[in-house]
């Protein structure tokens, strides 16, 4: 039987996962319109002009597809000719790549939430 503390921690963790979202800003990025169109078919992504907000939900397969699209685009832009000749654009691509990494971490937390719980228990025992 779970203690009240365990129950509260689990519900708070579920709320954090359900409420977390990441916004990707495509403003000033090359070929952004083509990539943004790909997100219209996803329920976990909402498009607002040049911004795409990805919301963490229980549809893990959809989140992984979104991640794959963003990762491919990010890698392409990080290796582009424009990036190597324009320092400001290079900084934008770095920020974008960091956001893609945040999405990967979010997906990992959804896949393995028990890892965080076991870490919390270890900290309490110390």
């Amino acid at each position: 039987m779970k203690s009240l503390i365990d129950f509260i921690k689990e519900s708070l963790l579920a709320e954090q996962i359900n409420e977390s979202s990441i916004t990707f800003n495509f403003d000033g990025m090359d070929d952004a319109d083509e990539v943004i169109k790909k997100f219209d078919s996803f329920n976990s992504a909402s498009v607002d002009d040049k911004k795409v907000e990805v919301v963490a939900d229980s549809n893990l397969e959809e989140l992984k597809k979104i991640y794959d699209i963003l990762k491919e685009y990010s890698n392409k832009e990080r290796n582009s000719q424009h990036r190597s000749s324009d320092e400001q654009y290079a900084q934008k691509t770095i920020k974008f790549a960091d956001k893609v990494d945040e999405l990967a971490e979010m997906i990992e937390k959804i896949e393995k939430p028990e890892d965080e719980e076991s870490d919390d228990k270890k900290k309490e025992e110390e």
Side-chain angles (χ1 to χ4, degrees), residues 44-58:
S44 300
S46 60
V47 178
D48 180 27
D49 194 29
K50 296 283 185 182
K51 293 183 180 181
V52 175
E53 182 179 13
V54 179
V55 180
D57 62 8
S58 58

Side-chain angles (χ1 to χ4, degrees), residues 56-86:
D57 62 8
S58 58
N59 192 345
L60 197 57
E61 291 304 314
E62 190 170 283
L63 284 175
K64 287 181 178 180
K65 288 177 186 175
I66 291 170
Y67 170 77
D68 289 341
I69 292 168
L70 289 168
K71 184 67 174 173
E72 180 182 331
Y73 176 74
S74 175
N75 289 344
K76 184 181 112 208
E77 292 306 308
R78 291 288 301 139
N79 296 321
S80 72
Q81 199 64 23
H82 186 189
R83 180 205 53 88
S84 58
S85 63
D86 183 351

Side-chain angles (χ1 to χ4, degrees), residues 4-14 120-121 124:
L4 181 58
I5 292 173
D6 291 337
F7 179 76
I8 292 171
K9 284 181 181 178
E10 285 179 12
S11 67
L12 289 175
L13 179 64
D120 289 342
K121 287 180 183 177
E124 287 176 7

Side-chain angles (χ1 to χ4, degrees), residues 29-49:
M29 301 288 284
D30 295 342
D31 304 321
D33 293 333
E34 296 171 22
V35 177
I36 291 172
K37 288 178 186 175
K38 294 179 182 180
F39 296 108
D40 289 337
S41 62
F42 294 110
N43 292 328
S44 300
S46 60
V47 178
D48 180 27
D49 194 29

